[in-house]
Amino acid sequence: MDALTLHSPILAVAIPLLAAFATPLIGRLSSRARDVFVIAALASMLFVVILLARDVYEVGIRIYTLGALSPSQAIPENHMVPVRLVFEVDGLGALMAIITAVVALAGTIYSIVSIKPETGQNRFYALLLLLVVGIMGIQLTGDMFNLFVFLEILSISGAALAAFRTRFVDAVEGGFKYLMVSTVGALLFLLAIGIFYGQYNALNIAAIASAMQYTVLDQVALALILAAFLMKSGAVPSHWWVPDTYTPAPAGTSPIMYASSLACLAATFRMLFSLYGVQMSLATVGWIVIIAGVLSMFVGVTMALRQTDIKRLMVYHVISQEGYMLLGVGVGLAVLSNPEALAAYGREAIAGGLFHVINNAFFKGLLLLTAEALFFRLGTRDLNQMGGMGRTMKWTCAFFLIGALAISGVPPFNGFASKLMIYESTYLFNPVLTIIALIVSVMTLASFTKVFQSAFTGPALPQYKEVREVPMSMKLGMGLLAAATVFISLFPAFVVDTIIYPAADALLDRSGYISAVMGGG
Amino acid sequence: MLNIITYILIGIGLFFNLMAGIGLLRFPDFYTRLHAGTKCTTFGSIFLIGAVVLQAIAAWHAGGWEAFDSTIVFRGLIALAAILITNPTGAHAITRAGYRSGVKPIHAVVDELEGANPDG
Amino acid sequence: MSKIVRTIAQAVMPFVFLFGIYLIIHGHLSPGGGFQGGAVVASGIALLFVSFGFKYVSTFLREDTLSAIESSGALLFIGLAFAGIATTFFANFLLGSPVFGSIPVTGPGVGDIWSGGTIPLMNIGVGMKVSAGLSAIIFSMMLIASKKRGGEQ
Amino acid sequence: MPVLTFWAPIVLIIAFVIVLVVTLLYRSRGQAKFKEGTEQGEVFYSGENVPEELQRHVRSHNMYWGFFEAMKRYYDPTVRAHTGIVNDYLIWLLGLTALAGVVIIVADLL
Amino acid sequence: MSQLVLNAPFVAVAALTCVACYIIMTQKNLIKIVMGVVILQGAVNLFLVTLGYRIGGVAPIYTETSGTLMVLPVPQALTLTNIVIGVSTTALMLALIVLIYRHTGETDAEKSRRMKG
Amino acid sequence: MNWTPAVIVLAACIAIALIRVGRGPTTPDRIVGLDTVNTLVVTALVILGAAFRQPVYVDVAIVYALLSFVTTLFIARLIEKGKF
Amino acid sequence: MAELPALNVIVPLLIVVSAILVARYKDLIAAVIALAAMSLLLSLQFYLLHAPDVALAEAGIGAAITTAIFVIAIHSTRRT
């Protein structure tokens, strides 16, 4: 068990990677064995991640050096800077790893039945596992170039998954747009890496951070990084690909792709806090992030209100909810250099944003899965042609209600808790932001009322007389996410104290992040 | 002496390559340009790589026939062989493709390949 | 394409493959390695396709085989990485063993092919992966292209 | 100072359950006049002719119609901006990069 | 003089980036946009390799020359990775374009779109 | 031995061939220009390998010579309008 | 002798020229030919910068395989 804990940072990435390449070989033998194998791999990944997270919360930042004589030897003898690949896991990494593992498991369980009608399932599972590798790697790595590689793995497998059902033209189109935009974004990021390497002769994030001077070149690099990662996470000025890509993505992958967006968001925070930190002009960058957040919230929710395609509507909420996270963390970023304001509301704003991340990963994933369940049984995503499904698909209806109430911030659910944290802290910073956030919350409730009214209530339509409840594995996948949502709803204080505040502190503790690799400080 | 021979070889090679360039620029139609572009450069490469190989052989000999320069001799010869095999074949493929795609020689009156066996 | 091209392609093909394999297994000593050698091998496959046509090649080259080779190459690579986990992931566990020798130093005796520990084996894994992967890419694109022509007729 | 010290969902749920129990108790004391299948179950539509059951369902396209009409000046440019052309997406991305760079550099100079 | 010469590839990088941005912003043909992305990849690769160049250095390979100055190996490794990633993205993009063409009969970005609003 | 002028003249030849690639009225003309560029670049690579006194560099030239052939064949195949 | 200042100027210039050619052509085949030329010259530039590994990869992947994929894609779509 100790050895497993010692090697857990790399195992969390290596297990799905190994499984991704073993899946096609096993799939040639039997498809049932392949399904069991994929689930087992993801479950063991979840186990490893839990071990890792427990260790991180007990001991502190974990580093893992690949190919060294011992995992904790980040800097070889006779060297000043780390030259090997280093994995560095702090509170934020552990939080995102837990989210990814749970969501990936749920999505894969859901996929087992829902992907049955398609051809090429071996490839589907291999791509799914590669996507998980990309998300995991982005969270755990401590190396800029490695981050780029994982980002590209994420983009390629994500685009291939989005375009997986090639018989639909919109699926192909969405995949193409995603791939194009993210390739250009990743190239911008690589340009920034080149700038860093040229200046500081290092690729390790901690090593660059310890040498950071915030020169003009660093500012250019900051702009490139900020644009690339905000685009990948779907913030507003370049959110256009999000609805086009996520809408036609196959069932079961939607929550995982949403987790990939959240992973890019977390990588943005990592870059802003751990790489640049107090070195940069905080008010400017903080306000850039806040404005992006407010725009995301408002544009996302108003566009969502207008949609009649059920999944597209929910995907616009992806953008809208991402605005809350950007708002919370942006407020924290703007007051980072002011210790009093930070203690009064900054830390709480960051914690609220991160709490919203974990909440959204669960209930938003659940909502996307219910939308796909309707599509699976009805064959249409058009809300105009739906009605009365609450009578026949009772479980789906119940899961939808849980998700919809949680996302709208109706009190007993976890969405309310995280939104409350964001409201309270932003009100002390700037009341206008809070008012906008409240309006957006009301509009969220309105749009989900629309979905509920037109899909689940009303008379039973004759063309859907034969529709039955979705199969067991799909219910299981949705149930897992619903259970997670309900658990967080019931014990928010426990979750916040155990996972969220360590993550927020990890973001604030830049010197700790640096000294974990560079030693001493 | 050796250097003079090498310079002469380089001169011949560069002369042919320049001829190739001028021909490529000045000739009137596709077939004549191809004539210049592929034949002359192949011939020029023989001399240029030959010069390199000659120098390397000399250095090899000076080092007592065991020096590291032997590799450059053999690799240069292999590269030359690759050029000599692939370039004419490529030229053939281009001509054929050009003819098939309907490019006619300028000033030509008689097309002897009209109706020839397509797989010839 | 024409008989001339086919003949030459047949003659050049083994040479291309040989050179690709040379680049793969000699990659830790000279320019080359798994990526480059794999690309050269895949270019050989592309030469096969372009000179003999898709229909002929697809009688003896199957996509299943390619994807199996690709997966085995990747598994070999990751398996070697896992094999070092007694110390750390990716540790060069063959270093210092009687077969694979020690770290190459400059001076006499360099160029010994067994001097890289696990690196040559990893190159082989990467070479399998890249060559089969790129061949599979070209194969799939050719499949799409030939299907479309068939559909039109 | 953490917010969640006073936010306890368990308390809220207990209160909800108590209110539910009270309501049910109050409801059980009412009169049992309602009978299914009689005129009491029919739909009352302001005295108009009641449409058929399938027509009664409000399609999602018709919901919030007034809101969209009122917000037309906001919605028209926003929807038109989402063209669906890859070039536009890339222009937005590169433009965002340029804008962020200019803002960050200028703010640092000032 | 040599400083100026070292800067020439950087100027080329800037020019290539501009050309690539021009292509991906104005050209409507999807295949043409992919060509723009390929040019952008080439620009970034050239940038990385030029960063690692040192005047008078040789390739970081242990051959007969020992003790001489070497160019930096890390940017070359990065470039190799980027080349391999680039070819896979290019292949995937082109495959998706072919599929779009078979669905819609168009490779134009404006005419082949189906989703908007 | 001073190899530099030879390489510079070769670069000038490459530039001329690129003009043909740019101007060529028909596609086959452009392919001829590309093929010429290929051959010249292979020669230049071999000469540069000698100039740098790095024999292992010549591997690149061999690969180049073999693979440019593939490129030429593919484009020729395309304009020939044949089936793949 | 390892420094070739003139070449280090000419070759990037040629690369940029071929990239501009790519941008100019509406005909995709011509653009692909210019792209292949750009790839080849980029490989030459890598070689000049003492990166034979990268030159090898660029020659194998950038020049041969990318062009092949482009050609197949153009073959199965339309030419302009």
Side-chain angles (χ1 to χ4, degrees):
Chain A
M1 188 63 84
D2 280 346
L4 210 55
T5 313
L6 182 70
H7 294 289
S8 55
I10 187 66
L11 284 179
V13 178
I15 288 174
L17 191 62
L18 188 70
F21 294 120
T23 303
L25 293 178
I26 295 176
R28 285 158 78 98
L29 303 175
S30 120
S31 62
R32 179 165 286 273
R34 178 204 57 213
D35 294 349
V36 172
F37 175 73
V38 172
I39 299 288
L42 285 172
S44 55
M45 187 186 80
L46 179 60
F47 175 68
V48 168
V49 163
I50 289 172
L51 277 184
L52 171 66
R54 211 190 56 186
D55 197 47
V56 167
Y57 293 136
E58 281 174 4
V59 181
I61 298 180
R62 281 284 311 275
I63 62 170
Y64 189 92
T65 315
L66 269 68
L69 289 176
S70 90
S72 58
Q73 187 194 23
I75 303 176
E77 298 101 8
N78 311 324
H79 281 79
M80 296 301 290
V81 290
V83 292
R84 292 195 170 98
L85 276 188
V86 179
F87 273 44
E88 185 165 6
V89 191
D90 58 1
L92 181 67
L95 168 72
M96 296 305 295
I98 291 173
I99 292 174
T100 312
V102 173
V103 168
L105 189 60
T108 314
I109 292 174
Y110 185 91
S111 296
I112 285 178
V113 173
S114 73
I115 206 68
K116 271 280 189 298
E118 311 287 330
T119 55
Q121 293 179 40
N122 288 346
R123 265 178 236 142
F124 175 81
Y125 286 111
L127 286 171
L128 193 84
L129 288 164
L130 274 181
L131 183 61
V132 175
V133 170
I135 303 170
M136 272 296 182
I138 283 184
Q139 307 310 328
L140 303 187
T141 189
D143 189 274
M144 289 291 263
F145 190 72
N146 207 5
L147 184 60
F148 166 76
V149 171
F150 282 123
L151 195 68
E152 283 281 12
I153 290 176
L154 187 153
S155 307
I156 294 175
S157 53
L161 275 179
F164 189 75
R165 291 186 283 195
T166 48
R167 61 175 191 277
F168 299 126
V169 58
D170 51 354
V172 182
E173 193 187 338
F176 177 74
K177 283 172 181 167
Y178 179 54
L179 188 59
M180 181 63 78
V181 178
S182 52
T183 305
V184 175
L187 285 175
L188 295 181
F189 180 55
L190 188 57
L191 218 55
I193 293 175
I195 290 173
F196 284 138
Y197 189 81
Q199 279 190 294
Y200 304 119
N201 218 350
L203 286 175
N204 193 288
I205 295 177
I208 297 173
S210 69
M212 174 69 66
Q213 301 295 322
Y214 203 55
T215 59
V216 176
L217 278 178
D218 286 334
Q219 291 163 14
V220 173
L222 174 62
L224 293 170
I225 290 174
L226 203 59
F229 276 110
L230 280 183
M231 184 277 299
K232 282 289 287 181
S233 54
V236 144
S238 49
H239 68 289
W240 318 99
W241 59 271
V242 178
D244 292 3
T245 303
Y246 284 10
T247 309
T253 62
S254 318
I256 308 180
M257 290 185 66
Y258 182 47
S260 77
S261 269
L262 294 177
C264 293
L265 196 69
T268 321
F269 299 155
R270 161 82 67 233
M271 290 291 139
L272 288 176
F273 282 90
S274 298
L275 183 62
Y276 282 90
V278 287
Q279 298 274 343
M280 61 186 175
S281 48
L282 287 165
T284 318
V285 183
W287 271 102
I288 290 177
V289 173
I290 289 172
I291 289 172
V294 170
L295 276 177
S296 301
M297 281 196 295
F298 194 72
V299 174
V301 81
T302 45
M303 291 298 284
L305 209 49
R306 206 179 155 274
Q307 302 302 319
T308 53
D309 181 327
I310 177 167
K311 198 156 175 213
R312 204 174 166 87
L313 188 149
M314 291 182 179
V315 170
Y316 267 112
H317 280 292
V318 167
I319 301 166
S320 162
Q321 299 298 314
E322 227 139 38
Y324 280 100
M325 307 162 199
L326 284 172
L327 176 62
V329 179
V331 167
L333 187 65
V335 298
L336 190 60
S337 58
N338 181 356
E340 289 168 13
L342 193 64
Y345 56 89
R347 177 166 176 258
E348 197 184 303
I350 295 175
L354 294 177
F355 193 27
H356 210 60
V357 170
I358 185 169
N359 289 341
N360 259 283
F362 294 150
F363 56 62
K364 191 78 229 178
L366 177 62
L367 283 171
L368 290 168
L369 287 184
T370 53
E372 274 294 337
L374 285 172
F375 181 60
F376 182 74
R377 278 304 186 207
L378 305 185
T380 178
R381 285 194 297 257
D382 194 354
L383 277 173
N384 288 329
Q385 296 174 19
M386 291 185 188
M389 299 321 297
R391 295 155 206 266
T392 43
M393 301 171 73
K394 291 198 171 56
W395 281 96
T396 311
C397 181
F399 291 139
F400 174 83
L401 268 181
I402 291 177
L405 292 177
I407 201 174
S408 319
V410 173
F413 286 99
N414 51 1
F416 175 74
S418 54
K419 281 182 181 176
L420 186 66
M421 285 174 83
I422 295 175
Y423 296 151
E424 285 236 325
S425 46
T426 48
Y427 188 79
L428 292 174
F429 181 72
N430 193 338
V432 180
L433 300 175
T434 317
I435 293 166
I436 297 175
L438 279 167
I439 293 172
V440 169
S441 188
V442 171
M443 282 159 93
T444 308
L445 185 58
S447 72
F448 278 97
T449 313
K450 170 176 164 177
V451 176
F452 184 68
Q453 196 272 344
S454 39
F456 291 102
T457 65
L461 298 181
Q463 64 264 42
Y464 301 133
K465 278 277 190 284
E466 302 298 312
V467 169
R468 287 170 292 118
E469 182 56 82
V470 290
M472 191 58 201
S473 96
M474 292 170 77
K475 269 190 284 189
L476 214 64
M478 291 190 279
L480 187 54
L481 289 179
T485 309
V486 171
F487 174 78
I488 300 179
S489 306
L490 291 183
F491 309 105
F494 169 72
V495 173
V496 166
D497 286 338
T498 337
I499 327 183
I500 307 298
Y501 273 125
D505 291 339
L507 275 184
L508 294 174
D509 185 15
R510 179 163 177 264
S511 57
Y513 189 84
I514 293 171
S515 64
V517 168
M518 304 300 290
Chain B
M1 181 60 196
L2 184 79
N3 279 0
I4 295 173
I5 296 177
T6 316
Y7 280 127
I8 291 173
L9 286 180
I10 290 178
I12 297 173
L14 287 181
F15 173 74
F16 275 102
N17 277 345
L18 273 177
M19 284 302 110
I22 295 170
L24 205 57
L25 208 56
R26 297 290 304 161
F27 278 172
D29 72 339
F30 157 62
Y31 296 97
T32 45
R33 279 176 204 143
L34 183 123
H35 200 76
T38 53
K39 264 188 178 172
C40 285
T41 49
T42 314
F43 199 64
S45 325
I46 295 175
F47 282 98
L48 285 171
I49 298 179
V52 171
V53 169
L54 189 66
Q55 279 287 322
I57 286 176
W60 185 14
H61 180 62
W65 297 104
E66 276 181 5
F68 216 67
D69 287 295
S70 62
T71 45
I72 213 167
V73 175
F74 290 117
R75 282 166 211 236
L77 288 179
I78 291 171
L80 185 59
I83 290 182
L84 286 184
I85 293 172
T86 57
N87 228 2
T89 319
H92 160 75
I94 298 170
T95 327
R96 201 179 136 89
Y99 181 75
R100 289 271 183 89
S101 72
V103 179
K104 290 272 180 268
I106 195 165
H107 305 315
V109 212
V110 185
D111 186 358
E112 286 184 3
L113 282 175
E114 193 88 56
N117 177 19
D119 284 328
Chain C
M1 297 194 87
S2 68
K3 192 173 266 174
I4 297 171
V5 177
R6 266 180 277 159
T7 314
I8 295 295
Q10 213 161 16
V12 169
M13 190 76 52
F15 190 66
V16 175
F17 284 148
L18 183 67
F19 203 80
I21 292 166
Y22 157 73
L23 285 181
I24 292 174
I25 63 175
H26 211 256
H28 57 296
L29 299 170
S30 64
F35 285 156
Q36 293 94 329
V40 172
V41 172
S43 306
I45 303 273
L47 180 59
L48 206 62
F49 274 119
V50 74
S51 50
F52 289 92
F54 177 73
K55 203 175 271 177
Y56 175 70
V57 179
S58 59
T59 53
F60 58 88
L61 194 71
R62 305 204 159 273
E63 208 179 1
D64 305 7
T65 326
L66 287 177
S67 86
I69 294 174
E70 190 186 346
S71 295
S72 338
L75 281 182
L76 176 62
F77 185 78
I78 303 169
L80 282 168
F82 262 108
I85 211 161
T87 47
T88 46
F89 207 66
F90 273 113
N92 201 341
F93 63 98
L94 285 173
L95 196 76
S97 68
V99 185
F100 285 90
S102 54
I103 300 174
V105 288
T106 50
V110 233
D112 193 0
I113 207 165
W114 302 117
S115 60
T118 51
I119 306 294
L121 295 175
M122 287 196 168
N123 266 342
I124 291 172
V126 175
M128 282 164 73
K129 164 97 185 144
V130 171
S131 55
L134 290 178
S135 310
I137 285 174
I138 293 178
F139 187 95
S140 319
M141 300 278 301
M142 283 278 189
L143 188 68
I144 293 174
S146 63
K147 248 188 201 168
K148 181 229 167 195
R149 289 279 151 165
E152 273 184 359
Q153 281 163 2
Chain D
M1 132 134 198
V3 178
L4 288 152
T5 46
F6 64 85
W7 165 238
I10 305 277
V11 177
L12 192 109
I13 288 173
I14 290 170
F16 182 74
V17 167
I18 290 170
V19 169
L20 196 70
V21 167
V22 169
T23 318
L24 285 177
L25 278 177
Y26 184 72
R27 185 175 178 273
S28 67
R29 290 183 61 228
Q31 294 169 319
K33 260 191 193 168
F34 178 75
K35 297 247 177 354
E36 275 196 52
T38 59
E39 213 171 273
Q40 285 174 326
E42 292 292 311
V43 179
F44 181 70
Y45 194 58
S46 301
E48 305 281 327
N49 287 335
V50 177
E52 278 184 46
E53 194 184 2
L54 285 178
Q55 311 256 313
R56 264 183 243 155
H57 186 55
V58 179
R59 305 283 168 178
S60 72
H61 190 69
N62 302 324
M63 290 185 75
Y64 307 130
W65 175 83
F67 180 77
F68 299 136
E69 278 299 307
M71 297 279 281
K72 218 176 176 46
R73 290 182 57 192
Y74 164 77
Y75 269 113
D76 279 350
T78 321
V79 173
R80 215 183 306 118
H82 198 122
T83 48
I85 304 172
V86 184
N87 300 93
D88 291 352
Y89 295 6
L90 293 168
I91 289 173
W92 275 101
L93 171 61
L94 295 173
L96 175 69
T97 316
L99 187 71
V102 167
V103 167
I104 288 172
I105 291 175
V106 167
D108 195 62
L109 286 180
L110 292 179
Chain E
M1 179 61 197
S2 62
Q3 202 60 42
L4 198 71
V5 168
L6 250 188
N7 280 337
F10 284 120
V11 176
V13 168
L16 282 179
T17 315
C18 291
V19 173
C21 288
Y22 170 76
I23 292 178
I24 62 180
M25 293 204 294
T26 58
Q27 304 282 320
K28 293 289 184 220
N29 194 321
L30 293 178
I31 294 182
K32 206 64 181 295
I33 303 174
V34 178
M35 286 181 193
V37 173
V38 171
I39 292 177
L40 194 59
Q41 278 163 354
V44 177
N45 289 343
L46 186 56
F47 178 61
L48 287 173
V49 171
T50 316
L51 272 182
Y53 182 61
R54 294 288 177 269
I55 296 174
V58 298
I61 303 167
Y62 284 101
T63 47
E64 50 162 355
T65 51
S66 61
T68 48
L69 182 67
M70 291 198 181
V71 302
L72 301 183
V74 174
Q76 296 193 8
L78 307 191
T79 316
L80 277 180
T81 317
N82 193 27
I83 287 175
V84 176
I85 289 173
V87 74
S88 47
T89 45
T90 312
L92 187 52
M93 280 178 192
L94 288 173
L96 292 177
I97 289 174
V98 172
L99 287 174
I100 287 177
Y101 179 77
R102 288 170 68 192
H103 278 298
T104 65
E106 279 295 338
T107 54
D108 190 287
E110 256 175 84
K111 292 175 192 154
S112 68
R113 77 185 150 154
R114 289 291 177 271
M115 284 189 293
K116 56 178 179 174
Chain F
M1 268 316 284
N2 189 6
W3 298 99
T4 318
V7 188
I8 291 175
V9 175
L10 279 180
C13 292
I14 292 172
I16 296 173
L18 264 187
I19 294 175
R20 183 44 71 195
V21 172
R23 272 182 46 193
T26 62
T27 315
D29 281 312
R30 300 182 208 277
I31 306 178
V32 172
L34 180 67
D35 200 45
T36 312
V37 173
N38 286 337
T39 317
L40 292 172
V41 168
V42 172
T43 318
L45 289 181
V46 175
I47 294 177
L48 282 172
F52 290 145
R53 307 248 347 119
Q54 291 284 329
V56 285
Y57 282 21
V58 186
D59 280 358
V60 183
I62 302 171
V63 169
Y64 213 106
L66 290 172
L67 298 191
S68 61
F69 177 52
V70 180
T71 312
T72 312
L73 285 188
F74 260 99
I75 301 178
R77 185 95 195 220
L78 174 61
I79 61 170
E80 204 177 309
K81 299 198 182 80
K83 280 197 299 183
F84 273 111
Chain G
M1 191 44 234
E3 296 305 313
L4 298 166
L7 269 184
N8 261 330
V9 176
I10 297 173
V11 177
L13 191 72
L14 293 181
I15 294 171
V16 175
V17 167
S18 36
I20 292 173
L21 288 183
V22 175
R24 256 192 52 199
Y25 292 136
K26 276 264 177 280
D27 184 9
L28 286 176
I29 297 178
V32 161
I33 292 170
L35 194 71
M38 193 203 84
S39 235
L40 297 171
L41 291 170
L42 204 58
S43 173
L44 181 58
Q45 177 63 34
F46 290 150
Y47 193 88
L48 282 175
L49 293 172
H50 286 278
D53 276 300
V54 184
L56 212 50
E58 181 72 32
I61 289 175
I65 292 187
T66 309
T67 315
I69 300 168
F70 265 110
V71 165
I72 300 169
I74 294 171
H75 181 267
S76 41
T77 57
R78 58 171 66 192
R79 192 173 151 174
T80 47

